[in-house]
Amino acid sequence: AYERTCRYFARNSNSVVVSVGYRLAPKHPYPTQFEDCLTAATHFLRTAQDYGVDPSRIIICGDSSGGTLTAAVAQALVNRRDLPKLRAQMLIYPFLQSVDFNLPSYQQNKDIPILLKERAIVLGLKYLNKDWEAVKLMSKWSHVPEDLQLKYQKWVSADCIPHEFKTRGYTPSTPLPLLKDICTLLQPVFDPVFSPLLAEDSVIARLPEAFILTCEYDVLRDDGLLYKKRLEDHGVKVTWCHLQEGFHGTVFLAVWGRLLAFRS
């Protein structure tokens, strides 16, 4: 599905593009996908010159769940002294956190195709091989233990979202108290491999320069905004592009521009 997109990037940026055919869930359970991407990135960093590539100019990139994998791989590589440092990371409307599904972008865009709020949560649970029935519980009960709520509040909060992104509507909401069963079931969602926004400050501060693309009509918009803030707070340079008319899937569909036309 992405070959056309990758060819477009290679042609228009005059770059070598390596597309990783990582194994897919649910046949191959989490975190197989991350491990495949990390293995591929590590191999290419070691052998880049065999492909005529300058090892100091390697960028990793992904969109949506691929953006999650990109962020996680970048984090996994920060302490590797046996490899060249990444030049940059490109995150295209990435999924980055599973702490708060009531951020302004989740409220405003919950019913906007192609990524509806419920579908985003269902896909995440399928990725973890969890029962999708947990979606109903997650929308009502807290799945975050109190000690983690306090820890994550400074990173994942509507208070960190600029006011202009709340003007289309936002109502602060407090979930019902912690439901222990769902807390135990969903413990993996707090792993930074699944939710890169939850990585420790010591990791965030060492990340390479980033490009982040967000779309106004996307439930994942605020994930990108929150990650942008965390990176900038730690002195990491961020190039941010916000598509005011954009929606989730814009980049993928834009390559098929002869068939579909839209402003962004």
Side-chain angles (χ1 to χ4, degrees), residues 3 25 59 82 94 107 133 136 143-144 169 185 214 239 254 256:
E3 182 175 349
I59 298 169
D82 58 323
Q107 290 190 15
E133 285 289 337
K136 299 174 182 177
H143 62 288
V144 187
L185 176 72
T214 56
T239 300
W256 301 84

Side-chain angles (χ1 to χ4, degrees), residues 46-116:
R46 284 183 175 145
T47 61
Q49 291 179 323
D50 295 346
Y51 301 92
V53 173
D54 181 347
S56 68
R57 300 182 65 188
I58 294 175
I59 298 169
I60 57 175
C61 173
D63 79 13
S64 194
S65 58
T68 315
L69 293 167
T70 298
V73 168
Q75 292 178 3
L77 292 173
V78 296
N79 292 319
R80 294 290 294 267
R81 297 183 179 181
D82 58 323
L83 298 170
K85 294 295 183 184
L86 290 174
R87 173 64 184 85
Q89 55 180 321
M90 298 179 64
L91 312 179
I92 301 171
Y93 34 74
F95 173 92
L96 296 172
Q97 63 84 29
S98 49
V99 171
D100 190 346
F101 294 108
N102 282 302
L103 291 169
S105 62
Y106 270 103
Q107 290 190 15
Q108 296 164 4
N109 304 311
K110 64 179 181 179
D111 296 320
I112 293 181
I114 56 176
L115 189 64
L116 282 63

Side-chain angles (χ1 to χ4, degrees), residues 137-156:
L137 297 173
M138 289 177 74
S139 63
K140 296 180 180 179
W141 299 83
S142 174
H143 62 288
V144 187
E146 187 174 352
D147 59 327
L148 293 183
Q149 286 183 26
L150 294 173
K151 178 180 180 179
Y152 298 149
Q153 192 170 22
K154 59 184 177 180
W155 304 336
V156 186

Side-chain angles (χ1 to χ4, degrees), residues 5 29 114 121 178 183 194 197 219 226 243 258:
T5 305
I114 56 176
I121 299 173
L178 181 71
C183 175
F194 186 83
L197 185 57
V219 292
L226 292 172
L243 301 181
R258 296 181 180 178

